[in-house]
CSV table of all heavy atoms in Angstrom, one decimal:
chain,number,residue,atom,x,y,z
A,1101,GLN,N,3.5,-6.7,-14.1
A,1101,GLN,CA,4.9,-7.3,-13.9
A,1101,GLN,C,5.2,-8.5,-15.0
A,1101,GLN,O,6.3,-8.4,-15.6
A,1101,GLN,CB,4.7,-8.1,-12.5
A,1101,GLN,CG,4.6,-7.1,-11.2
A,1101,GLN,CD,4.2,-7.9,-10.0
A,1101,GLN,OE1,3.9,-9.0,-10.1
A,1101,GLN,NE2,4.3,-7.2,-8.9
A,1102,ASP,N,4.2,-9.2,-15.3
A,1102,ASP,CA,4.4,-10.3,-16.3
A,1102,ASP,C,4.8,-9.7,-17.6
A,1102,ASP,O,5.6,-10.2,-18.2
A,1102,ASP,CB,3.1,-11.2,-16.3
A,1102,ASP,CG,2.9,-12.0,-15.1
A,1102,ASP,OD1,3.8,-12.0,-14.3
A,1102,ASP,OD2,1.8,-12.7,-15.0
A,1103,ALA,N,3.9,-8.7,-18.2
A,1103,ALA,CA,4.2,-8.0,-19.3
A,1103,ALA,C,5.5,-7.4,-19.4
A,1103,ALA,O,6.2,-7.6,-20.5
A,1103,ALA,CB,3.0,-7.0,-19.6
A,1104,ALA,N,6.0,-6.8,-18.3
A,1104,ALA,CA,7.3,-6.3,-18.3
A,1104,ALA,C,8.4,-7.5,-18.5
A,1104,ALA,O,9.3,-7.3,-19.1
A,1104,ALA,CB,7.5,-5.6,-16.9
A,1105,GLN,N,8.1,-8.5,-17.7
A,1105,GLN,CA,9.1,-9.6,-17.9
A,1105,GLN,C,9.2,-10.2,-19.2
A,1105,GLN,O,10.2,-10.5,-19.7
A,1105,GLN,CB,8.7,-10.7,-16.8
A,1105,GLN,CG,9.7,-11.8,-16.6
A,1105,GLN,CD,9.7,-12.5,-15.3
A,1105,GLN,OE1,8.7,-12.3,-14.6
A,1105,GLN,NE2,10.7,-13.3,-15.1
A,1106,VAL,N,8.0,-10.4,-19.9
A,1106,VAL,CA,8.0,-11.0,-21.2
A,1106,VAL,C,8.8,-10.0,-22.1
A,1106,VAL,O,9.5,-10.5,-23.0
A,1106,VAL,CB,6.6,-11.1,-21.7
A,1106,VAL,CG1,6.6,-11.3,-23.2
A,1106,VAL,CG2,5.9,-12.2,-20.9
A,1107,ALA,N,8.9,-8.7,-21.9
A,1107,ALA,CA,9.5,-7.8,-22.7
A,1107,ALA,C,11.0,-7.7,-22.3
A,1107,ALA,O,11.8,-7.0,-22.9
A,1107,ALA,CB,9.0,-6.4,-22.6
A,1108,GLY,N,11.4,-8.4,-21.2
A,1108,GLY,CA,12.7,-8.5,-20.9
A,1108,GLY,C,13.1,-7.4,-19.7
A,1108,GLY,O,14.3,-7.3,-19.5
A,1109,PHE,N,12.1,-7.0,-19.0
A,1109,PHE,CA,12.4,-5.9,-18.0
A,1109,PHE,C,11.7,-6.3,-16.7
A,1109,PHE,O,10.9,-7.3,-16.5
A,1109,PHE,CB,11.8,-4.5,-18.5
A,1109,PHE,CG,12.6,-4.1,-19.7
A,1109,PHE,CD1,11.8,-4.2,-21.0
A,1109,PHE,CD2,13.7,-3.4,-19.5
A,1109,PHE,CE1,12.5,-3.7,-22.1
A,1109,PHE,CE2,14.4,-3.0,-20.7
A,1109,PHE,CZ,13.8,-3.2,-22.0
A,1110,LEU,N,12.0,-5.5,-15.7
A,1110,LEU,CA,11.5,-5.7,-14.3
A,1110,LEU,C,10.5,-4.4,-14.0
A,1110,LEU,O,11.0,-3.2,-14.3
A,1110,LEU,CB,12.6,-5.7,-13.3
A,1110,LEU,CG,12.2,-5.7,-11.8
A,1110,LEU,CD1,11.5,-7.0,-11.5
A,1110,LEU,CD2,13.3,-5.3,-11.0
A,1111,PHE,N,9.3,-4.7,-13.7
A,1111,PHE,CA,8.5,-3.7,-13.0
A,1111,PHE,C,8.4,-4.0,-11.7
A,1111,PHE,O,7.7,-5.0,-11.2
A,1111,PHE,CB,7.2,-3.6,-13.6
A,1111,PHE,CG,6.3,-2.5,-13.2
A,1111,PHE,CD1,6.7,-1.1,-13.3
A,1111,PHE,CD2,5.2,-2.7,-12.3
A,1111,PHE,CE1,6.0,0.0,-12.8
A,1111,PHE,CE2,4.5,-1.6,-11.8
A,1111,PHE,CZ,5.0,-0.3,-12.0
A,1112,PRO,N,9.0,-3.2,-10.7
A,1112,PRO,CA,9.3,-3.7,-9.5
A,1112,PRO,C,8.3,-3.5,-8.3
A,1112,PRO,O,8.4,-4.1,-7.2
A,1112,PRO,CB,10.7,-2.9,-9.0
A,1112,PRO,CG,10.8,-1.8,-9.9
A,1112,PRO,CD,9.8,-2.1,-11.1
A,1113,LEU,N,7.1,-2.8,-8.7
A,1113,LEU,CA,6.1,-2.6,-7.6
A,1113,LEU,C,5.6,-4.0,-7.3
A,1113,LEU,O,5.3,-4.8,-8.2
A,1113,LEU,CB,5.0,-1.7,-8.1
A,1113,LEU,CG,4.0,-1.4,-7.2
A,1113,LEU,CD1,4.5,-0.4,-6.1
A,1113,LEU,CD2,2.8,-0.7,-7.8
A,1114,SER,N,5.5,-4.4,-5.9
A,1114,SER,CA,5.2,-5.6,-5.4
A,1114,SER,C,4.5,-5.6,-4.2
A,1114,SER,O,5.1,-5.0,-3.2
A,1114,SER,CB,6.5,-6.5,-5.3
A,1114,SER,OG,6.2,-7.8,-4.8
Side-chain angles (χ1 to χ4, degrees):
Q1101 295 165 345
D1102 291 349
Q1105 186 158 10
V1106 167
F1109 295 101
L1110 173 74
F1111 182 65
L1113 187 66
S1114 176

